[in-house]
């Protein structure tokens, strides 16, 4: 009447972001010296999960899932380099090689009803407790690589939050209406999300 699995995954992540630093950019000969540098970071995550499916009848399934998950930051966001623009007000943009991944504790619940051979009705809900969320932060009045004062924008690990969602879907083949419609069908879906991030 039920089946499932349980497991744990241990993820050890090491990153190195390498870039160059512009020095002596202003001089009588306008000689630019590019000095390479790198930033290392590492972190470990233990990710347990459990999934159970219950079968109250031959045509109905109830699924429950509990898990912890991560999603790494985009590679561009881990860039150690900085780009500066001095057209109008000086501003710079850069990455953040010390970014930590998105981390979430998740609960999923789903109900599936296979009411006919080629038809299914599903309803599901989920809740995600997100420990941290990557956002962009702009600081003003900072000294930029060229020595000018301006604004600097980079991704940071911001506060977390939660996401709650529900979804209802219905799929139906139209072959029962006429044999010429065999292979065609309809799919209806409604999703609702609520987030405080």
């Amino acid at each position: 009447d039920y089946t499932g699995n349980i497991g744990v995954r241990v993820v050890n992540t090491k990153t190195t972001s390498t870039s160059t630093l512009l020095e002596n950019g202003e001089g009588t000969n306008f000689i630019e010296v590019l000095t390479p540098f790198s930033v290392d970071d590492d972190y470990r995550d233990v990710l347990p999960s459990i999934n159970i499916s219950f079968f109250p009848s031959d045509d109905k399934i109830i699924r429950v899932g509990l898990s912890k998950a991560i999603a790494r930051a985009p590679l561009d966001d881990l860039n150690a380099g900085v780009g500066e623009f001095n057209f109008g007000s000086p501003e710079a943009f850069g990455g953040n090689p010390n970014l930590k991944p998105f981390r979430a504790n998740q609960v999923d619940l789903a109900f599936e009803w296979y009411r006919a051979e080629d038809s299914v009705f599903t309803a599901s809900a989920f809740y995600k407790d997100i420990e941290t969320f990557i956002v962009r932060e702009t600081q003003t009045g900072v000294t930029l690589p060229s020595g000018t004062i301006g604004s600097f924008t980079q991704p940071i690990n911001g506060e977390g939050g939660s996401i709650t969602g529900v979804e209802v879907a219905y799929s139906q083949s139209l072959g029962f209406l006429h044999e010429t419609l065999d292979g065609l069908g309809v799919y209806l879906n409604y999703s609702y999300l609520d987030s405080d991030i």
Side-chain angles (χ1 to χ4, degrees):
D1 294 334
Y2 67 92
T3 184
N5 60 69
I6 185 170
V8 63
R9 188 163 54 111
V10 179
V11 180
N12 191 31
T13 303
K14 296 182 179 181
T15 62
T16 300
S17 181
T18 303
S19 188
T20 54
L21 181 64
L22 177 64
E23 297 178 322
N24 302 325
E26 296 181 10
T28 55
N29 296 323
F30 297 101
I31 297 175
E32 296 179 348
V33 178
L34 296 176
T35 304
F37 72 98
S38 63
V39 179
D40 297 326
D41 193 20
D42 64 90
Y43 50 87
R44 176 178 293 172
D45 290 276
V46 178
L47 308 174
S49 68
I50 181 171
N51 299 283
I52 303 175
S53 297
F54 299 94
F55 304 93
S57 64
D58 290 341
D59 59 352
K60 295 180 181 69
I61 304 174
I62 299 172
R63 303 182 191 272
V64 180
L66 305 169
S67 65
K68 183 169 185 176
I70 63 169
R72 294 192 181 102
L75 288 178
D76 287 349
D77 287 349
L78 295 172
N79 180 13
V82 175
E84 183 176 340
F85 303 91
N86 289 303
F87 305 104
S89 59
E91 54 185 340
F93 302 88
N96 184 350
N98 294 313
L99 276 179
K100 302 306 180 191
F102 298 90
R103 292 184 170 104
N105 299 306
Q106 309 178 126
V107 179
D108 293 277
L109 178 65
F111 170 74
E112 302 171 10
W113 178 24
Y114 297 89
R115 51 182 301 276
E117 182 178 348
D118 50 7
S119 173
V120 63
F121 168 80
T122 63
S124 59
F126 70 84
Y127 174 78
K128 297 180 185 290
D129 175 26
I130 300 177
E131 296 177 12
T132 182
F133 206 80
I134 296 174
V135 296
R136 298 213 170 273
E137 179 185 63
T138 299
Q139 300 176 0
T140 57
V142 299
T143 302
L144 304 181
S146 66
T148 59
I149 304 297
S151 64
F152 178 59
T153 302
Q154 71 174 158
I156 64 167
N157 286 109
E159 294 182 3
S162 63
I163 302 175
T164 304
V166 295
E167 180 181 57
V168 179
Y170 180 71
S171 177
Q172 174 68 63
S173 169
L174 298 179
F176 73 97
L177 295 175
H178 193 271
E179 60 183 20
T180 58
L181 297 177
D182 190 29
L184 298 176
V186 295
Y187 178 78
L188 304 173
N189 172 278
Y190 172 78
S191 299
Y192 173 79
L193 295 177
D194 182 36
S195 170
D196 63 1
I197 294 176

